[in-house]
Amino acid sequence: MRPGAVALAVSGLVVLGAGPPAPSPPLPARMTDTGGGTQLITAVAPRAASTRGTVTWWDLRDGRWVRAGSAPARFGANGLAEGASRKQGTNTTPTGLYGLPYAFGIRAAPRGTAYPYRRVHRDSWWCQDNDSRSYNRWTEPRAADCRAAESEHLISYGERYAHALVIGFNYARPVRGRGAGIFLHVVGRGATAGCVSVPKDAMRTILTWADPAKRPHIAVGTATGATAVTRY
């Protein structure tokens, strides 16, 4: 009998059956694209309407993706929406595969952080004004053509922005009305306005794990369906 086979006697017959099924490949190995680097963050919700899910960070070691850590996550108050067609102000988290341009925070970078890290000051703003030339950009001080009512005064977010990573959604070539200011940041009291949030300890761990030389990306999506993370 070959190794791993199971013998089952039925009415004098011997049936050779396969052993237990092989474990499914790790999530990044089932994705269409992982960004080309050797680090990846996945942010997965059960369904598009979900406001909770899981963030996992992975390393590619000897050709195989290995889970480095995971944490519970919160998404937009109205769930997730396809990033390519998302609308600003909908309180949805955009799905897709994105780069992570830089990190920032009200507090100093955790010891061991290698990622480019920008400290928040009293005059640090993130412009979300569709009429501004600084749309979806950090401005310090607030740009003259960027209305305060259409911007985030970063320091006012307290512990939520103690530490954060900029998610490169609508960032390289911003499309007006698509959305601005999408981050991976510390969890607050509930769902987000479109960001992904994790507990503070997890956020600090991610920052000390992330290595810019390994070109980490973040993939945001659902477990199944049209916005399944494996499609990105």
Side-chain angles (χ1 to χ4, degrees):
M1 187 179 297
R2 67 179 184 272
V6 177
L8 177 64
V10 181
S11 300
L13 297 176
V14 177
V15 179
L16 293 179
S24 61
L27 177 58
R30 292 181 275 122
M31 292 174 56
T32 302
D33 189 6
T34 58
T38 57
Q39 287 188 327
L40 179 71
I41 300 170
T42 55
V44 184
R47 297 169 298 280
S50 302
T51 64
R52 297 178 184 270
T54 304
V55 161
T56 306
W57 47 105
W58 307 81
D59 289 301
L60 185 61
R61 300 175 185 168
D62 300 322
R64 180 175 175 81
W65 286 101
V66 178
R67 176 183 171 276
S70 66
R74 298 303 305 268
F75 297 98
N78 289 323
L80 296 83
E82 174 63 54
S85 56
R86 178 186 183 268
K87 302 298 183 184
Q88 185 165 325
T90 56
N91 288 341
T92 54
T93 297
T95 62
L97 177 70
Y98 305 107
L100 298 162
Y102 60 91
F104 70 89
I106 293 171
R107 298 185 181 274
R111 185 182 300 275
T113 298
Y115 223 74
Y117 192 91
R118 190 168 185 177
R119 287 294 298 274
V120 173
H121 301 109
R122 291 283 174 188
D123 56 354
S124 302
W125 294 76
W126 195 277
C127 183
Q128 299 181 354
D129 189 336
N130 282 283
D131 296 326
S132 173
R133 290 172 294 178
S134 299
Y135 179 67
N136 203 20
R137 288 292 185 272
W138 177 306
T139 67
E140 194 171 306
R142 178 170 53 85
D145 68 344
C146 188
R147 293 168 289 174
E150 298 293 328
S151 304
E152 288 190 0
H153 191 200
L154 298 177
I155 203 164
S156 69
Y157 284 76
E159 285 302 296
R160 284 173 291 174
Y161 288 175
H163 305 293
L165 271 166
V166 176
I167 295 176
F169 165 72
N170 200 31
Y171 189 80
R173 296 179 179 86
V175 175
R176 311 292 167 144
R178 182 65 49 80
I182 302 298
F183 312 128
L184 174 64
H185 65 76
V186 176
V187 71
R189 294 183 177 179
T192 72
C195 295
V196 180
S197 64
V198 294
K200 185 175 182 178
D201 287 349
M203 192 68 238
R204 292 175 63 88
T205 298
I206 290 169
L207 286 179
T208 56
W209 160 85
D211 182 348
K214 297 179 178 180
R215 296 180 294 153
H217 286 68
I218 185 168
V220 184
T222 51
T224 60
T227 53
V229 73
T230 52
R231 295 180 62 246
Y232 300 113

